[in-house]
Amino acid sequence: NALNSAYRWSVRKELLKVNPIEGRVKYAGTPKHCCETSVESLDELHRVAGLLMSSKRSEVCGWALLIEGCSGLRSDETVPLKMNVSSQEPGGLTPDKKNMAVRRAEKSARINPFVRVNEGLKLVLDAHKIWHTARYPSSPYYLPGRDRAALGHLGKDVMSKALLRLHKVYLEF
């Protein structure tokens, strides 16, 4: 694409007469949207999260799935959430613990910087806090990355890769 853009620019500026790759074959695949492959029930959400949590390699992805499933947040909005921050910072709970501050993704049409903490999300956050204290006590993030020394958060594409691996395993059966 970059090369094609450079050639098109060169033709516009009359540096070249023709774009030599203008008629090339494009290899972009058909995108899959999350609504096409989303879970159909809370039971299915819990089963998939349980499968992810069954391995230490992907247990953080299991927590990400539960938090996103109970809150409606996107991965871009979930990974920067921090624990023990003020109620105005991403991950911070309001004093009544009924809302959590988030930083909305650029693609999101929503402007409300808070997410309602419903009963399901409250249970997930309570269980998550116990897990986080036991496994990643020094990490400030809800979803810590694998490098404990760096204290960074989970990469925003890790979740989709883990779900894709899981999907491929189940397609083989």
Side-chain angles (χ1 to χ4, degrees), residues 33-41 44:
H33 298 280
C34 61
C35 60
E36 297 171 20
T37 57
S38 63
V39 295
E40 294 179 6
S41 67
E44 188 177 0

Side-chain angles (χ1 to χ4, degrees), residues 74-143:
R74 300 166 179 244
S75 291
D76 291 2
E77 298 166 341
T78 307
V79 293
L81 298 177
K82 286 188 172 183
M83 308 206 37
N84 304 321
V85 292
S86 77
S87 62
Q88 298 302 311
E89 296 178 67
L93 296 171
T94 56
D96 62 1
K97 300 205 184 310
K98 291 185 178 182
N99 296 292
M100 179 170 57
V102 296
R103 182 164 289 122
R104 293 293 181 180
E106 290 180 21
K107 294 179 183 177
S108 177
R110 298 177 183 163
I111 55 171
N112 184 2
F114 290 93
V115 147
R116 171 121 4 240
V117 178
N118 56 40
E119 192 58 38
L121 182 57
K122 182 185 180 321
L123 291 171
V124 168
L125 293 177
D126 290 345
H128 173 269
K129 189 171 187 173
I130 295 167
W131 168 82
H132 190 276
T133 302
R135 295 276 289 129
Y136 295 92
S138 59
S139 176
Y141 293 98
Y142 274 80
L143 305 169

Side-chain angles (χ1 to χ4, degrees), residues 42-77:
L42 279 176
D43 290 336
E44 188 177 0
L45 177 76
H46 284 99
R47 277 195 302 275
V48 174
L51 288 169
L52 289 170
M53 289 180 180
S54 66
S55 166
K56 284 189 176 186
R57 179 179 179 198
S58 61
E59 67 183 346
V60 176
C61 293
W63 286 109
L65 183 68
L66 287 175
I67 292 170
E68 291 171 19
C70 291
S71 66
L73 291 172
R74 300 166 179 244
S75 291
D76 291 2
E77 298 166 341

